[in-house]
Amino acid sequence: IVFYKKQSYIQGDYVGSRYPGARKYGVAPLSGFFPIHASQAGDYEFIAQLLTSAAMHNATGGFDGNRCYEAAQRGEISDPYLCGMSNYSYAYMEANFFIINSALDAYSLLNIYNGDTDCQHDEFNECSIKQIGDFDGWESDFMDQVEAASQFTRKGNGAFIQSCLEHCAVEDSKTFESLSIDGMTVSQALQQWWESSGSDPAADHTYTPCTLNKLGEHQCNPTCPNQVNYLEISRMKKRNVPSTPHAYSTPMGL
């Protein structure tokens, strides 16, 4: 079973192809789904920087076995570098797949959305009703991109997508055993998916996020870990990349 973040979307099938005799193989990336989404200001600057960097370094060299890249070679996708984006590669994955992610991922909100940053802490509890509405819109768009792929409902797959303001929080063992949706923890959900036949309906192993509360405590999931326990959020910084000319202004979504 492969866990590694965004790279699992890009190279998960390739890694599986290296173990043709494996009795079971699956991919369960942690906090690796970064949506193609405009910032609050309406631009795609961060996404464009990613795509420009991929083109500059000819990152297709790392796309061996990537089904999205193979589709681009057949002309089904206009730009092969889009296969470096999670939603594109996910849409072509063949391995059994279990997404572990927050729909309100702290890294994505800080770098891609880059808005309402003054209340991106303490599980949104200092946000205004308008700001909560903004984050609800982001969560809805995130789920639209995940659900747009047939892999989301394909037999053998699953997902655990929650609403906590975190990035890679379940790398912490306590969080792995306590963060839950409707009484099902991440660890339990992953174990049940892994120990299944590999052909169960995806709905049997899919857990989706609640919507932030407009009034009172905004976080709707009471099992979200305290931010002091997050492994990455405390050292996460916005990537202040100087604006540079690039070929991408409004990348395509799914």
Side-chain angles (χ1 to χ4, degrees):
I1 184 169
V2 176
F3 290 104
Y4 199 71
K5 304 177 187 178
K6 182 182 176 184
Q7 286 84 345
S8 296
Y9 290 86
I10 299 171
Q11 297 174 322
D13 279 333
Y14 169 74
V15 173
S17 72
R18 304 291 293 175
Y19 298 94
R23 293 178 58 189
K24 179 179 283 191
Y25 176 78
V27 182
L30 170 62
S31 298
F33 195 100
F34 300 110
I36 293 181
H37 197 286
S39 70
Q40 188 180 50
D43 64 70
Y44 288 80
E45 183 65 25
F46 186 79
I47 300 298
Q49 292 284 355
L50 293 180
L51 293 172
T52 300
S53 177
M56 181 176 69
H57 294 288
N58 187 25
T60 55
F63 286 168
D64 288 346
N66 182 283
R67 307 303 182 224
C68 173
Y69 182 62
E70 293 172 0
Q73 298 300 101
R74 297 191 298 269
E76 297 175 18
I77 295 174
S78 61
D79 187 335
Y81 296 111
L82 289 168
C83 296
M85 302 305 298
S86 309
N87 57 344
Y88 274 85
S89 280
Y90 176 54
Y92 286 87
M93 290 291 298
E94 293 182 354
N96 284 4
F97 209 85
F98 187 86
I99 295 175
I100 303 173
N101 222 100
S102 172
L104 295 167
D105 179 82
Y107 186 89
S108 293
L109 289 178
L110 192 62
N111 289 282
I112 300 174
Y113 180 57
N114 190 22
D116 298 320
T117 55
D118 60 318
C119 75
Q120 285 188 36
H121 55 83
D122 192 29
E123 289 301 339
F124 309 103
N125 279 330
E126 295 184 18
C127 295
S128 67
I129 292 178
K130 180 186 180 303
Q131 288 172 320
I132 293 300
D134 292 340
F135 292 126
D136 285 346
W138 169 279
E139 180 180 285
S140 177
D141 291 344
F142 178 95
M143 292 306 299
D144 284 346
Q145 290 200 28
V146 173
E147 293 172 356
S150 62
Q151 278 68 10
F152 187 72
T153 55
R154 192 183 70 191
K155 288 183 177 181
N157 287 353
F160 190 99
I161 304 174
Q162 32 75 19
S163 61
C164 304
L165 180 63
E166 59 87 9
H167 183 71
C168 298
V170 299
E171 287 182 345
D172 173 64
S173 60
K174 292 182 179 179
T175 303
F176 186 57
E177 297 291 343
S178 62
L179 178 57
S180 64
I181 296 175
D182 296 331
M184 178 69 69
T185 67
V186 184
S187 61
Q188 291 170 337
L190 180 63
Q191 181 177 1
Q192 288 186 15
W193 169 75
W194 178 246
E195 293 180 350
S196 69
S197 67
S199 58
D200 288 357
D204 290 354
H205 301 283
T206 298
Y207 307 86
T208 54
C210 53
T211 303
L212 297 177
N213 301 313
K214 294 292 194 301
L215 301 175
E217 284 197 7
H218 294 310
Q219 181 52 256
C220 53
N221 188 332
T223 70
C224 290
N226 188 296
Q227 286 188 4
V228 299
N229 293 326
Y230 291 177
L231 295 183
E232 293 204 10
I233 195 170
S234 63
R235 64 176 181 262
M236 193 187 319
K237 295 181 179 179
K238 182 178 181 298
R239 291 178 179 266
N240 292 311
V241 181
S243 180
T244 55
H246 49 68
Y248 302 95
S249 56
T250 307
M252 295 168 58
L254 278 173

